[in-house]
Amino acid sequence: MLPLALSRGISANSVSVAGLCLGGAAALAYTQWGNWALALVGLVLSMGWLIADGLDGMVARATKTASPLGRMLDGLCDHGVFALIYVSLALTIDTPEAWILAFAAGGAHAVQSNMYEGERSRFHRRIKGVALEAPPVPTGNALVRFYDGIAGSIDRIAMPFERTLGQSTDPVALGALYGARAVAPLRFMALLTANVRVWAIFVACFAGNPRIFWWFEIVPLTLVAIVGLVWHRRVERAFVRSTMSRPKTASRMHLS
């Protein structure tokens, strides 16, 4: 769909908003989750949103129109879709327990998604041998600064490895070694992608109990986020310790 979007001059922000509309329609369908056919419609519409979610970033990169505002809009549209679905499901049950679960799941989702996206972008930058010189300073309006501040919070914790990569005599080779070891925790954290949640929502509704999804979000996916973050930091610390305990000229040889 990328060539079509480019030929029609469709902006990345427009694709994000279209995805939000598809997600809103999915939330509307899920208000009738007791009807398996409408639950299936909700799944199909959610898949349409997933396509838009991937396409907006591709359009931004192809047209070189990526911006802090676009990044924030993309994130808000992503979270907004799930928020609409959570609210629609809570409305159909409409008990205090359901609302508490829905809000708890929504909060857990926002934190997990921000962490995973940060880890993923960090990984892809590092395997190219590119180190972060300093944690990015959020810019733009207050809302953009707040969003970027949360999304980049792990950058400050991960700076020891960034300095090790930046001081390496062969950062590309070190990045490749890092990538070979860090790919495992990143693949594990892929369980936090929207794809998994979209299917989990449908399965829970098809099973006749949306609470299954909320508990899945709150407990198992939170554990995935914690284990993945700790695992990734351990990989980083192993490289940092190895570099500090050996002469710089020999660090890369010993790491391999």
Side-chain angles (χ1 to χ4, degrees), residues 210-233:
R211 296 176 182 84
I212 296 172
F213 167 70
W214 290 328
W215 281 115
F216 174 71
E217 179 73 73
I218 294 168
V219 181
L221 291 188
T222 296
L223 290 175
V224 168
I226 293 171
V227 171
L229 286 171
V230 171
W231 190 355
H232 196 183
R233 300 291 82 77

Side-chain angles (χ1 to χ4, degrees), residues 77-154:
C77 286
D78 293 351
H79 298 318
V81 167
F82 282 105
L84 288 172
I85 293 176
Y86 292 0
V87 169
S88 69
L89 295 176
L91 281 170
T92 62
I93 301 173
D94 200 22
T95 64
E97 172 248 1
W99 284 106
I100 291 171
L101 281 177
F103 277 107
H109 174 192
V111 173
Q112 294 161 6
S113 294
N114 277 333
M115 286 183 175
Y116 173 65
E117 287 304 317
E119 293 291 270
R120 190 166 66 93
S121 62
R122 193 173 295 111
F123 173 83
H124 286 291
R125 169 176 51 77
R126 288 169 169 179
I127 60 176
K128 298 175 184 176
V130 179
L132 186 69
E133 294 183 1
V137 178
T139 58
N141 61 51
L143 189 58
V144 173
R145 290 197 305 272
F146 176 74
Y147 182 84
D148 283 349
I150 294 176
S153 59
I154 304 298

Side-chain angles (χ1 to χ4, degrees), residues 59-72:
V59 171
R61 289 188 292 273
T63 58
K64 302 187 187 306
T65 55
S67 67
L69 177 61
R71 186 168 59 254
M72 183 198 69

Side-chain angles (χ1 to χ4, degrees), residues 11-24 49 52-53 56 73-74 77-78 81:
S11 69
N13 290 350
S14 296
V15 176
S16 295
V17 173
L20 181 61
C21 293
L22 286 169
W49 162 71
D53 184 48
D56 58 4
L73 180 61
D74 180 41
C77 286
D78 293 351
V81 167

Side-chain angles (χ1 to χ4, degrees), residues 46-58:
S46 297
M47 288 180 173
W49 162 71
L50 285 176
I51 293 172
D53 184 48
L55 183 61
D56 58 4
M58 295 172 68

